[in-house]
Amino acid sequence: MTYQQTLDYLYSKLPMFTRVGAVALKKDLHNTLAMCAKLDNPQNKFKSIHVGGTNGKGSTSHMLAAILQQAGYKTGLYTSPHLKDFRERIRINGKMVAKQFVTDFVASQQEIIQEIEPSFFEVTVAMAFDYFAKEKVDIAVIEVGLGGRLDSTNIITPELSVITNISLDHTNILGDTLLEIAVEKAGIIKKNIPVIIGEKQAETEAVFINKAKAENSSLSFAGSSLHIENAHQKNAYLIVNVYKENQLIYSNLALDLTGSYQLKNILTVIESILKLKEIGYNIPDESIYAALKSVKNITGLQGRWQTLSKNPLIICDTGHNKAGITEVMQNIKNTPHQNLHIVIGMVKDKDISAVLALFPKNATYYFCQPNLERALPVKELASQAAAFGLKGKNFTTVQAAFQKAKSKAIAKDLIFVGGSTFVVAEIL
């Protein structure tokens, strides 16, 4: 098969969560273990950091990878979903996996793929692990796909487990309370492996404390041991001072990821780096400063409060659940503009009412649906939005909605594009 035929095969033949939702998920780690056993267990041949959580795990993973790479480590990075190119999921030192590797891997695994019928995600995880082992990375940052306990990535024994936060998302799969979701996320905590929790939350704190105790794992809550003062925007950067207890440990740290939610993520990242240094990693301060200033360049990260153009200002963000959209709305409030235009599409298996309730009534809406089976039909979205006083026009494609918003906006307006990762992907 050619590279394109290989991708078509992966997308069409294998159950894919982004396309069809929960029916694509497997209920255990059997398939991933079987595929990796056939590959001589590549997951045991490289060191790793495992990053889970509801929101912020993508940004956190990219920041950690950028810092490790800047410190001189050959760094693998596995994330999902991709926005433009399948190969974004698997990178080493910021460079995407070669098309030839993808083609050769799928060709060599045809027999077991036909035999066990794995999901798209299971195949992709095995591919990433095989690539990192063959390329002999010093360390790989592995982002959890969904949940933790039964996620395909959860066959690694990492150097460090990181959980950013817990909020309501994928409730049809992970449970509809923060407690139930926390139990699933805590499933990545391993015996004697230190764990960093980003945000301390009253409802979930005990879950992590008890799980860490049971596994004899040291536990740190980044949001408790670190804090930020004097955060402000300067040019294209978010500038922060990071304190541990009352001591300033990083002064005027400049982040090229400027969304307000990065104030939470950066604490998780810094606490993780402090722990890695404690267990023997050589990560100079200058590497931290240099990496955080150019995460997007180093790792290729996109879609996080990303400015697409100015006059009018066009910004996209992949936030798609209640906690994520709350942060997005705060960013919109903090961004000077005359009129607000919102291009929005969603997928079916989200708490749509809880999300729509957060959007402002004084905006012009361009309702659309991303091009996938899980997409919420645009008429349904517009109808539910109307119940919250959100008014606008319906468009059958994301691009049509986006073009109309651009034609209506004047120089001082703000166009925001979001509601779903897949809407952002189509714009990019």
Side-chain angles (χ1 to χ4, degrees):
M1 290 188 285
T2 64
Y3 174 69
Q4 192 52 54
Q5 286 169 333
T6 301
L7 284 192
D8 292 344
Y9 170 79
L10 288 174
Y11 292 146
S12 62
K13 299 286 187 209
L14 306 182
M16 189 176 176
F17 179 78
T18 53
R19 196 177 68 238
V20 297
V23 292
L25 296 175
K26 308 292 177 169
K27 296 285 192 251
D28 56 45
L29 300 175
H30 173 268
N31 284 352
T32 310
L33 289 166
M35 286 200 75
C36 285
K38 189 170 184 289
L39 295 162
D40 195 25
N41 292 312
Q43 74 277 13
N44 301 332
K45 296 177 182 175
F46 58 89
K47 292 179 176 177
S48 60
I49 298 168
H50 208 183
V51 183
T54 305
N55 292 306
K57 60 183 183 286
S59 296
T60 298
S61 296
H62 282 80
M63 284 191 266
L64 286 171
I67 292 168
L68 287 162
Q69 182 184 331
Q70 202 70 24
Y73 292 96
K74 186 175 184 180
T75 306
L77 177 61
Y78 176 76
T79 57
S80 61
H82 63 274
L83 291 175
K84 294 165 75 173
D85 187 326
F86 166 80
R87 297 176 305 136
E88 291 167 32
R89 293 168 180 258
I90 305 169
R91 297 176 186 265
I92 294 176
N93 283 357
K95 191 177 176 190
M96 293 188 289
V97 60
K99 290 180 180 179
Q100 192 62 51
F101 184 89
V102 176
T103 305
D104 291 347
F105 178 87
V106 174
S108 70
Q109 300 306 304
Q110 285 284 286
E111 192 180 316
I112 193 166
I113 288 172
Q114 285 165 5
E115 181 191 329
I116 67 174
E117 299 182 335
S119 70
F120 173 88
F121 191 76
E122 288 167 333
V123 171
T124 309
V125 166
M127 185 191 300
F129 290 176
D130 190 46
Y131 185 59
F132 296 153
K134 284 191 166 115
E135 291 294 319
K136 297 183 167 58
V137 297
D138 296 320
I139 191 160
V141 180
I142 308 294
E143 181 195 4
V144 170
L146 196 153
R149 185 174 63 93
L150 298 176
D151 188 75
S152 299
T153 62
N154 202 28
I155 64 168
I156 56 174
T157 301
E159 300 281 282
L160 182 67
S161 304
V162 180
I163 300 171
T164 55
N165 59 33
I166 303 298
S167 57
L168 296 174
D169 198 10
H170 301 296
T171 50
N172 58 324
I173 300 160
L174 302 178
D176 50 18
T177 68
L178 293 179
L179 203 62
E180 289 173 301
I181 293 171
V183 168
E184 291 300 316
K185 306 278 184 190
I188 70 168
I189 298 174
K190 303 286 197 311
K191 193 164 283 301
N192 301 320
I193 305 298
V195 57
I196 306 295
I197 310 294
E199 294 176 53
K200 185 185 270 194
Q201 297 159 281
E203 303 97 316
T204 60
E205 181 184 347
V207 171
F208 299 121
I209 291 171
N210 294 338
K211 176 69 171 171
K213 198 172 177 183
E215 300 294 350
N216 195 37
S217 302
S218 71
L219 174 70
S220 310
F221 287 95
S224 297
S225 63
L226 302 176
H227 72 275
I228 283 171
E229 289 184 14
N230 193 28
H232 61 280
Q233 296 268 355
K234 187 176 180 184
N235 301 325
Y237 300 103
L238 177 61
I239 312 294
V240 298
N241 290 328
V242 181
Y243 288 77
K244 187 169 180 67
E245 279 105 34
N246 290 317
Q247 186 182 353
L248 178 63
I249 56 171
Y250 293 105
S251 172
N252 291 319
L253 206 54
L255 283 65
D256 70 337
L257 303 179
T258 58
S260 61
Y261 46 81
Q262 302 300 353
L263 295 173
K264 296 175 182 176
N265 294 334
I266 192 59
L267 296 182
T268 310
V269 169
I270 296 297
E271 187 73 12
S272 300
I273 293 299
L274 293 175
K275 180 55 74 172
L276 288 171
K277 288 169 84 164
E278 196 182 297
I279 61 178
Y281 283 80
N282 180 24
I283 305 169
D285 285 354
E286 55 266 32
S287 298
I288 298 170
Y289 278 90
L292 293 175
K293 204 168 184 180
S294 39
V295 174
K296 290 186 279 193
N297 280 340
I298 294 170
T299 67
L301 178 64
Q302 294 191 86
R304 276 38 171 217
W305 197 249
Q306 181 177 346
T307 298
L308 301 178
S309 67
K310 295 177 177 176
N311 304 318
L313 181 60
I314 303 177
I315 292 175
C316 67
D317 193 280
T318 54
H320 54 267
N321 53 36
K322 187 178 177 183
I325 295 294
T326 298
E327 298 286 355
V328 164
M329 289 305 122
Q330 191 56 51
N331 281 329
I332 287 176
K333 277 183 196 166
N334 294 341
T335 304
H337 59 271
Q338 194 162 323
N339 303 301
L340 177 60
H341 305 260
I342 295 181
V343 177
I344 180 174
M346 297 182 75
V347 291
K348 293 173 188 169
D349 49 12
K350 297 291 173 189
D351 188 351
I352 292 153
S353 295
V355 169
L356 289 173
L358 301 170
F359 280 86
K361 294 180 179 61
N362 63 339
T364 304
Y365 287 85
Y366 304 79
F367 301 109
C368 57
Q369 62 189 75
N371 184 25
L372 72 162
E373 290 167 55
R374 272 172 73 213
L376 181 68
V378 66
K379 284 186 180 172
E380 217 173 297
L381 173 60
S383 168
Q384 292 200 45
F388 292 93
L390 313 181
K391 293 173 184 155
K393 292 210 165 104
N394 298 2
F395 299 86
T396 51
T397 68
V398 172
Q399 283 297 339
F402 185 47
Q403 294 307 324
K404 179 57 82 172
K406 286 202 289 186
S407 74
K408 290 288 187 186
I410 59 172
K412 291 184 177 176
D413 288 358
L414 168 61
I415 300 174
F416 173 75
V417 181
S420 163
T421 300
F422 308 105
V423 170
V424 172
E426 288 188 42
I427 291 300
L428 292 172

